[in-house]
Amino acid sequence: MPMDVVTLAQQLGRIVGPANVLTGGAETGPFATDWRKRYFGRALAVVKPGTTAEVSAVVRLCAETGTAIVPQGGNTSLCGAATPDASGTQLVVNLSRMRRIRALDTVNNTVTVEAGCVLASLQAAAAEAERLFPLSLAAEGSCEIGGNLSTNAGGVQVLRYGNMRDLVLGLEVVLPSGELWDGLRGLRKDNTGYDLKHLFIGAEGTLGVITAAVLKLFPKPRAQATAFVAVASPRDALALLTHVQERCGDRLTAFELMSAACVEIVTRHMPGVQTPLDRVHPEHVLLELSDTHAAGGVRELLEGALAEAIERGVALDAAVATSEAQARGLWALRENMTEAQVREGRQVKHDVSVPISRIPEFIDAARAELERAFPGVRVICFGHVGDGNLHYNVAGPASMSEDAFMARMAEVNRIVHDATARHGGSISAEHGLGVYKRAEILRYKSPLEMELMRRIKRALDPHGIMNPGKVL
Ligand code: FAD
Ligand code: MLT
Ligand code: ZN
């Protein structure tokens, strides 16, 4: 039975210590507002457990009292998945205090880490042990492993190392009943029935609270080469991708597309960020090669491949970084895109994927339909083109007020998502459904697939206390 907030806060305080329970709008407000400031919820309270046993006791109390739980990591979700609704009845369970690295095994090449560990801290710990944890995204200074797992995060190295799902060997999860599932196995081969960990990866907190994980480590690259390359069109970007893959094999670890509009926006809004090329071109690719062999001549390899690409007319121009500082400068163009977009004004964000080969026709088809519906519309398209994943963002025409354009967001979504579906794609490649795409997905997944997801949800969370209002 529901419990009043004072009694609940007292009981939570007994579990985690009173200092780790926040109540009242001023304290809980930041935990109830998303990164882009699009969703303004109201939390019943915020609780910050410090151990798995505490998470388990908190969830058990919620199960007994029918209290809805919103698991939260770094709160960098771009689809409103990590914040409570406006009812004031949902408890935010924030994992940020659980940030320990429990074990690092350089022979098994695994790390056992708690859910609240910030991604950048894990990358640093791996590097200190002469290993690589490859997940890399612009929010890495604040997003946390539990959030990365629960969104099956992607980022800029998926091309070589895969999504978060591909980097996981084991999980520890507190189930909606409060029971603890210890699946912290560090095995690369285990065929003993259903692979349960995959249910929780990408579940956006709707099936349980992840408290720890065993993740894969890789040899640390000793040499990298980074380049910013101008191309005439998305089609040429794909020709460049094929060319570099043929020349450089799996040394290619990142291949990111940025249109002219993206370069203009990021250089206009972000102080110190500039293109190394003499002008803005129709499209640009930021690409990186990594090699575990320090003297492998990776820069020479890249320079050779790019010279050949220019000679063949596949690329228009290229700048190859000659120092780490220059490489960081090139990455700044890409990593500041999300923040620059916020500064540019409100846009309709998309996070789609299509088969890599269909990217050019998708970009053209969606643009033509948007232009028909909103003459003068601005498409701000960038992303992980090497994975077929585009952030196909749309800003209103100059002739239209931002409010008027945003009021027609559903129409914009429909055009982009229908084009995505027609090209065999997915409406969410990495950010997840959250609140933003929860209704939209019903149009694109079959009723049977939706029903299978609901059956899984009911089996694990029969009382529907885990992150209600998200995904399903
Ligand atoms: P949160 O936002 O706190 O939560 C995300 C979801 O996970 C919510 O549904 C939440 O309920 C659930 N959750 C969190 N912790 C747990 C847990 N322990 N157990 C169960 N459920 C949990 N995403 C990409 O994939 N690729 C990118 O390149 C990328 N770039 C980004 C750049 C910027 C600037 C920003 C702001 C975001 C970006 N994102 C990207 C989106 C976001 O950062 C990722 O989805 C990230 O993985 C979320 O981690 P988080 O800790 O912030 O999770
Ligand atoms: C990115 O690739 O930079 C992110 O997924 C964030 C975004 O879409 O803005
Ligand atoms: Zn992305």
Side-chain angles (χ1 to χ4, degrees), residues 227-229 263 274-279 317-320 326 329-330 333:
F228 195 65
V229 186
V263 172
Q274 40 190 287
T275 163
L277 304 176
D278 60 357
R279 64 188 178 86
D317 195 4
V320 179
Q326 278 186 10
L330 298 185
L333 280 155

Side-chain angles (χ1 to χ4, degrees), residues 78 138 155-156 256 334-335 337-338 341 349-351 382-384 389 391 393 430-431:
L78 294 174
V156 295
E256 299 283 318
R334 174 62 184 86
E335 285 174 346
M337 251 330 285
T338 310
Q341 266 182 276
K349 257 179 118 63
H350 298 105
D351 167 36
F382 64 94
H384 320 286
N389 173 194
H391 299 303
N393 304 314
E430 38 176 39
H431 301 160

